[in-house]
Amino acid sequence: MAQMNESCAECHREQTRPFVFEHPAMREGCATCHNPHGSINRMMLTQADNNLCLRCHAQVQGSGASGDFYIGSVDHTVLLQMGTCWSAGCHTAVHGSDVDPRLRY
Amino acid sequence: MKIVQCHWKNLAALFLFSALSVSAGETNLISSAEKISFDRDVRPIFEESCFRCHGPEKPKSSFRLDDRQAALKGGDNNVDDVVPGHSEQSKLILYVGGLDKETIMPPPDRGKPLTPAQVAVLRAWIDQGAVWGTNSEPALVFAFEPALGWIGVSGDNKKFRELEGIHEGAGGGVKDFSMSEQISSDEKFSVAGHALAPENDYKLTLALDKTDVGFVRGGFEEWRKYYDDTGGFYPGFSPSTFSLDRDLHLDIGRIWIDFGLTQPGDPQLVLGYEYQFRQGAKSTLAWGTVSQGGNSKNIYPNAENISEHTHIFKVDLTHEWNDWALEDHARVEVYHLGESRNDVMAFSTGPTPDVIERVNQSVHYSLGANTFRVENQIKDWWLASAGSLFSRYDGTSFFNQNAVDGSGAPTFGTYWRTEGITLERDSRVVSLANLFLPVKGLSISTAVQCEWTHEEGSGNVDLDFGDPAIPGFFFPFPGTVDANQNRTEFLESFDARYVGLPQTVLFAEGRLRQQSVGQFDEANNGTVDAVQQRTDALNHFYDARVGFTESPRTWIEWGAHVRRRDSTTGYNHLVDNSPFGGDGYPAFIRHRDVAMNEIEGRLVLRPIYWMSARLTYDWDLSDFSTVTDPAGGGVISPGGPIFDGRTESHNAGLTLTFTPVQRFYFSGTFTYDRSRTATTSAASSEVVPYRGDIFTVGSSAGYILNEKTDLNVAYNFSRSAYGQNNSAGIPLGLDFTRHELLVGLTRKLTKNLSGALHYQFSEYSEPSAGNVNNFTAHGIFATLNFRWQ
């Protein structure tokens, strides 16, 4: 796994450098989210939609209307309706951030 | 052949003729400009198809191919089997190419026919002088291959560039050139490369080698990677998709030089320097919000400008001392990255965006690393090696972000900046590996490795908020960030392979990892995002695989393996403070497990000597589960185990190769993929399962028309059906159909000149993007190959 990241890091230096706030998924290896052998999706993502993130970021059913989605204790229902988790203004710093623990920049 | 978003290094190889996405495969016949190596290219063909009858042992017709002098002398029937420089006069080519109706080699009952690609290798080898071995090359060899082409695209030309890796319109240059000179018996100089426009695809390599003394090698290469400039698609909007109307591309390249000492008996030393760069603009997936009729969807495209420069200095030392092999590799890397982007955050009525975030960030660092490895053959049955790695990273990052409206005036939003964040990382790795051959047919390898890593990052930040144009409505939030992490890993691996049973290989392999992470994160900024967390995480991972390969008859082979992986992590949250009301995420996650199962099988059949079929099947199942604390004081969630999601995929493939007549070759591959990822416990209008099918067909065929001319054709088809229909969210799955056709011929014109002419057709349609990415393309390309020696 570390070896896989090392291979990727030879070219993708910015994504594999140290960050103040690291995305812990990086410890599981680049192949957790990217298929290095090729994908139909941009950035060689294994999934093109929010299922990519929700596999690990446990969503819990809210106490309100049926179908509400909470990540932790934050209601993400409307945000998930708008688009991907990595949309502009949301968690764009998917590999890590030096300023924001929520990986928004 | 599957259509993929290629890695940029793969895309770098794409060019006008040889690398059209229609992979011509076996139909990419060797051009006469490509240098043929007897040992690398020709000998394997002779060994497979010729030496059994025309080797040193009782050669048929007294004709031998294992020795140049004997081959040029000919056999009982001919004296022109191999005529150096004249493949069209060489009987060998007529025989193996099926061009002589009375004599076919290999005889149909003795072996399968050579493919056109193999015939092309032999043809080019004879045209280049029919050199046996590697030490008797002509003193001076020169090759030059000019190219010219034109591509017309109707539809989305930017999507065409992204998928095909080439630019529409006229193009060309020098597809390949090379010159090598044997200066003396032990000195050789060579230069090679290519230069093609408008793709900015350039390469130049230079080498001066002196046997048993040393070498100087250097070069320059650059290539371009294209990006489409459209964003997402939402059918409920008009327009339903947006474009930046920019030609997005990155120019990627490197310059390098190596000095080497290769004196026998002395340590082998290489000193090198390399400069790498990436410059230009690329699209991102951070799409901005478009609002229409009270509905908001993140579909507006965005892009970033990149200026990345890396300097690498290296020293490589290898030495054989008695029975010991020693290696040491030292690297120093100096890196600078500048990124800027104007992300559209909000777009409503237009024509300009409502809010744009201007972001400038940079990172520069220096990295030093040294690896050392020693290897010793302790016994005939025992090979041992040990190694170490030390690395040190020191870096600084800068960040500056502000919000403006469509006219460029400051507007309401976030204004974040840093004056410099300090980043450090130290790593130490030691490893020990053994290879045992305890009994005949059995090999066992084992390895253990210990890694320790420490990371730190800290600095001052300003997370200001508001509208600077409105007095009293701009709120400064100065603060600090501070984090550190200690990570310790132990890795063990085991690999056993047994070949003692007839026609059978049995194998078993496993990897284990125990990882301990102590992490501290603090964001002290006076906002609801302020947080202080200290977490200990303990991970256990294993990956085990067992399988076999068996070939009970010469015409059949099968094999299979099963694999199981599991990664389990427990989190102990020692500190979890959110002083201004934040939720402290992700500190409510207590446990995470990811388990993967895989079964793979394959069957290879060669029912008749001119046909082979390969069938493969692969099944994967991954489950993701979590245990959490209660959320929202137990109101939102009581906590406990949660089944996060499951990914299941099936992949089946069939590859068919046949040569029904001597001059004809066909290879075709069909694959089918089906996968489904679901992460919600019930049907959701926001996030529907990501599921679909992919069909691909890749085929190529070649036909040797006569002793001077080859015809070739390749056709690829891809179909992805991952389209989604989620009523509340946006469809993000890809639904497309792609056709590609390449038809061409190559012809030898004179002794030193040959040419090729190709036509390409491409068609792409993507209903999941509202068909705005559709294109149709026609291209025609011509090359000439000059070779002189």
Side-chain angles (χ1 to χ4, degrees):
Chain A
M1 212 166 288
Q3 204 166 21
M4 166 77 84
N5 280 357
E6 298 262 332
S7 300
C8 304
E10 287 182 14
C11 298
H12 299 277
R13 293 180 172 86
E14 164 59 9
Q15 289 79 13
T16 53
R17 68 175 176 87
F19 293 96
V20 175
F21 302 108
E22 175 196 64
H23 186 184
M26 296 292 286
R27 295 180 208 156
E28 295 293 327
C30 304
T32 302
C33 299
H34 303 277
N35 187 342
H37 298 118
S39 162
I40 59 170
N41 304 314
R42 290 184 181 182
M43 311 295 178
M44 294 198 287
L45 292 173
T46 54
Q47 282 88 25
D49 64 358
N50 289 329
N51 285 293
L52 180 71
C53 306
L54 296 176
R55 293 178 306 169
C56 290
H57 291 277
Q59 78 286 352
V60 293
Q61 298 294 327
S63 57
S66 174
D68 284 358
F69 282 100
Y70 281 72
I71 310 293
S73 58
V74 177
D75 187 355
H76 277 71
T77 311
V78 174
L79 299 171
L80 289 171
Q81 290 174 357
M82 292 175 66
T84 61
C85 304
W86 54 87
S87 295
C90 299
H91 310 287
T92 55
V94 292
H95 301 100
S97 170
D98 293 329
V99 294
D100 183 27
R102 296 177 185 276
L103 310 185
R104 282 176 297 193
Y105 291 102
Chain B
M1 177 189 189
K2 187 181 296 183
I3 295 178
V4 297
Q5 300 284 336
C6 295
H7 186 275
W8 56 265
K9 273 196 168 178
N10 295 335
L11 279 174
L14 292 177
F15 171 60
L16 223 53
F17 302 85
S18 61
L20 294 168
S21 291
V22 179
S23 173
E26 288 283 349
T27 67
N28 271 340
L29 304 184
I30 298 285
S31 74
S32 65
E34 187 170 337
K35 178 62 181 170
I36 301 296
S37 162
F38 178 82
D39 289 331
R40 182 194 64 199
D41 305 315
V42 178
R43 185 185 291 278
I45 300 173
F46 283 174
E47 288 178 343
E48 179 185 352
S49 304
C50 309
F51 282 167
R52 188 170 55 173
C53 297
H54 297 289
E57 301 291 330
K58 299 180 181 177
K60 302 285 186 187
S61 304
S62 305
F63 178 60
R64 292 175 54 178
L65 273 169
D66 60 307
D67 177 80
R68 187 174 197 259
Q69 188 176 2
L72 298 188
K73 181 182 172 185
D76 295 337
N77 304 320
N78 307 306
V79 295
D80 54 355
D81 289 305
V82 178
V83 183
H86 294 278
S87 62
E88 76 282 4
Q89 298 174 15
S90 301
K91 291 286 195 303
L92 175 69
I93 298 301
L94 301 182
Y95 297 159
V96 299
L99 301 170
D100 188 305
K101 293 179 180 177
E102 297 182 354
T103 306
I104 294 175
M105 290 291 166
D109 59 340
R110 298 295 178 87
K112 63 180 181 180
L114 269 59
T115 67
Q118 291 175 313
V119 174
V121 168
L122 298 183
R123 185 185 287 172
W125 167 68
I126 291 175
D127 288 337
Q128 294 173 18
V131 176
W132 263 255
T134 56
N135 298 322
S136 55
E137 294 186 0
L140 180 63
V141 178
F142 174 77
F144 180 68
E145 186 173 358
L148 191 64
W150 175 86
I151 304 171
V153 177
S154 61
D156 187 352
N157 54 357
K158 301 184 183 72
K159 191 67 178 179
F160 168 82
R161 294 172 204 163
E162 179 181 82
L163 289 179
E164 303 285 350
I166 54 178
H167 200 288
E168 73 277 11
V174 179
K175 183 188 172 191
D176 188 32
F177 71 90
S178 64
M179 192 275 283
S180 65
E181 181 177 11
Q182 196 72 38
I183 301 169
S184 65
S185 61
D186 62 349
E187 279 185 313
K188 183 179 178 181
F189 172 75
S190 60
V191 56
H194 62 250
L196 298 163
E199 288 83 13
N200 275 26
D201 188 353
Y202 308 115
K203 185 172 184 179
L204 174 67
T205 61
L206 297 150
L208 177 63
D209 291 77
K210 187 172 178 63
T211 306
D212 295 339
V213 175
F215 61 81
V216 180
R217 296 169 188 161
F220 162 78
E221 66 179 329
E222 179 180 340
W223 61 90
R224 178 167 289 183
K225 176 169 170 46
Y226 294 96
Y227 297 86
D228 185 34
D229 66 341
T230 55
F233 169 73
Y234 183 63
F237 285 173
S238 179
S240 52
T241 187
F242 295 83
S243 168
L244 296 175
D245 197 22
R246 292 181 62 186
D247 177 15
L248 300 173
H249 59 259
L250 283 179
D251 288 321
I252 303 162
R254 66 188 185 117
I255 301 169
W256 73 95
I257 186 164
D258 288 334
F259 302 91
L261 293 176
T262 58
Q263 288 184 311
D266 289 347
Q268 310 289 294
L269 176 67
V270 178
L271 302 175
Y273 165 75
E274 182 169 332
Y275 164 62
Q276 300 177 357
F277 64 90
R278 289 194 308 148
Q279 195 93 33
K282 63 177 285 191
S283 59
T284 73
L285 294 181
W287 296 337
T289 303
V290 175
S291 298
Q292 292 182 12
N295 197 359
S296 295
K297 300 297 176 189
N298 298 332
I299 61 171
Y300 201 94
N302 282 315
E304 63 182 348
N305 301 307
I306 293 176
S307 177
E308 184 183 60
H309 306 273
T310 310
H311 303 269
I312 302 167
F313 305 87
K314 68 176 184 181
V315 180
D316 295 330
L317 193 62
T318 59
H319 187 48
E320 300 275 345
W321 180 65
N322 293 331
D323 294 331
W324 296 83
L326 308 170
E327 288 182 30
D328 191 88
H329 304 278
R331 293 281 187 283
V332 173
E333 192 171 293
V334 180
Y335 175 88
H336 177 81
L337 169 69
E339 284 182 330
S340 65
R341 57 182 196 264
N342 294 325
D343 279 351
V344 171
M345 299 293 289
F347 184 98
S348 54
T349 57
T352 60
D354 304 319
V355 181
I356 298 171
E357 279 197 341
R358 290 178 172 169
V359 178
N360 287 285
Q361 53 188 341
S362 64
V363 178
H364 56 80
Y365 71 74
S366 59
L367 172 69
N370 189 82
T371 60
F372 175 75
R373 183 171 175 272
V374 58
E375 183 180 289
N376 184 254
Q377 184 85 41
I378 298 173
K379 301 286 185 185
D380 290 345
W381 49 270
W382 181 13
L383 177 69
S385 68
S388 69
L389 163 69
F390 161 80
S391 73
R392 166 79 185 178
Y393 175 108
D394 285 291
T396 308
S397 74
F398 300 87
F399 181 85
N400 193 317
Q401 170 264 331
N402 55 63
V404 298
D405 61 19
S407 67
T411 188
F412 179 82
T414 56
Y415 289 76
W416 289 12
R417 64 185 178 277
T418 71
E419 293 304 321
I421 300 291
T422 302
L423 301 164
E424 297 176 0
R425 176 163 63 195
D426 278 306
S427 292
R428 311 272 193 281
V429 181
V430 292
S431 65
L432 178 65
N434 293 282
L435 173 63
F436 302 103
L437 304 172
V439 297
K440 186 179 179 182
L442 177 64
S443 65
I444 298 173
S445 64
T446 64
V448 293
Q449 180 166 299
C450 178
E451 299 183 17
W452 174 82
T453 301
H454 174 77
E455 291 184 1
E456 281 189 19
S458 62
N460 297 319
V461 297
D462 288 293
L463 307 181
D464 303 343
F465 174 78
D467 188 342
I470 303 176
F473 198 59
F474 189 76
F475 310 100
F477 284 96
T480 60
V481 293
D482 186 15
N484 62 71
Q485 182 185 116
N486 286 299
R487 187 166 66 240
T488 305
E489 280 187 10
F490 293 93
L491 300 108
E492 305 87 27
S493 69
F494 169 86
D495 189 342
R497 188 167 293 264
Y498 184 62
V499 296
L501 299 175
Q503 291 86 43
T504 303
V505 178
L506 304 175
F507 60 89
E509 57 192 36
R511 290 184 297 143
L512 301 167
R513 181 187 68 186
Q514 305 82 45
Q515 182 189 69
S516 172
V517 180
Q519 183 166 343
F520 171 76
D521 294 319
E522 183 181 67
N524 182 16
N525 51 40
T527 75
V528 294
D529 296 329
V531 69
Q532 186 185 63
Q533 294 177 338
R534 184 180 294 279
T535 298
D536 285 347
L538 186 61
N539 173 266
H540 290 274
F541 167 86
Y542 74 82
D543 182 354
R545 189 170 80 110
V546 295
F548 75 98
T549 298
E550 185 178 22
S551 181
R553 298 286 186 273
T554 56
W555 54 272
I556 187 170
E557 175 186 313
W558 63 65
H561 76 248
V562 295
R563 183 179 184 182
R564 165 84 180 176
R565 278 191 294 177
D566 192 277
S567 179
T568 301
T569 309
Y571 302 93
N572 183 19
H573 302 295
L574 306 172
V575 176
D576 179 17
N577 292 327
S578 300
F580 299 99
D583 66 335
Y585 193 84
F588 91 131
I589 296 175
R590 290 289 178 179
H591 183 91
R592 172 169 290 140
D593 186 79
V594 182
M596 190 278 276
N597 297 282
E598 176 187 338
I599 297 175
E600 183 181 297
R602 66 185 178 283
L603 173 66
V604 181
L605 296 171
R606 300 181 200 88
I608 41 184
Y609 73 93
W610 50 267
M611 176 179 174
S612 70
R614 178 183 177 88
L615 291 151
T616 57
Y617 173 73
D618 181 57
W619 170 78
D620 292 278
L621 180 70
S622 298
D623 284 334
F624 303 81
S625 56
T626 305
V627 177
T628 74
D629 284 337
V635 176
I636 295 172
S637 167
I642 297 174
F643 186 71
D644 296 328
R646 165 173 288 184
T647 295
E648 184 173 13
S649 66
H650 303 266
N651 173 272
L654 168 65
T655 300
L656 195 63
T657 302
F658 64 94
T659 311
V661 294
Q662 187 83 1
R663 296 180 178 191
F664 180 70
Y665 169 86
F666 172 83
S667 176
T669 299
F670 169 79
T671 68
Y672 170 66
D673 293 270
R674 182 183 187 87
S675 75
R676 182 182 192 275
T677 298
T679 57
T680 54
S681 57
S684 156
S685 57
E686 293 90 3
V687 184
V688 297
Y690 181 80
R691 64 184 172 194
D693 309 279
I694 300 173
F695 307 87
T696 68
V697 175
S699 60
S700 62
Y703 182 72
I704 300 174
L705 193 63
N706 56 44
E707 66 272 16
K708 291 186 176 180
T709 308
D710 297 333
L711 299 175
N712 47 73
V713 58
Y715 170 72
N716 288 327
F717 167 79
S718 300
R719 168 92 176 94
S720 164
Y722 274 81
Q724 294 174 320
N725 183 20
N726 40 341
S727 57
I730 62 173
L732 290 157
L734 198 55
D735 188 354
F736 72 80
T737 302
R738 186 178 179 186
H739 302 269
E740 294 173 297
L741 175 70
L742 182 70
V743 181
L745 64 85
T746 57
R747 180 173 176 80
K748 181 173 182 180
L749 302 172
T750 68
K751 176 187 175 185
N752 296 319
L753 178 65
S754 63
L757 189 65
H758 285 85
Y759 163 77
Q760 181 201 2
F761 169 76
S762 304
E763 186 179 76
Y764 179 78
S765 63
E766 187 182 329
S768 59
N771 290 313
V772 297
N773 289 334
N774 295 5
F775 66 79
T776 301
H778 301 268
I780 188 162
F781 316 103
T783 59
L784 285 175
N785 307 316
F786 296 97
R787 183 177 180 84
W788 182 84
Q789 60 187 40

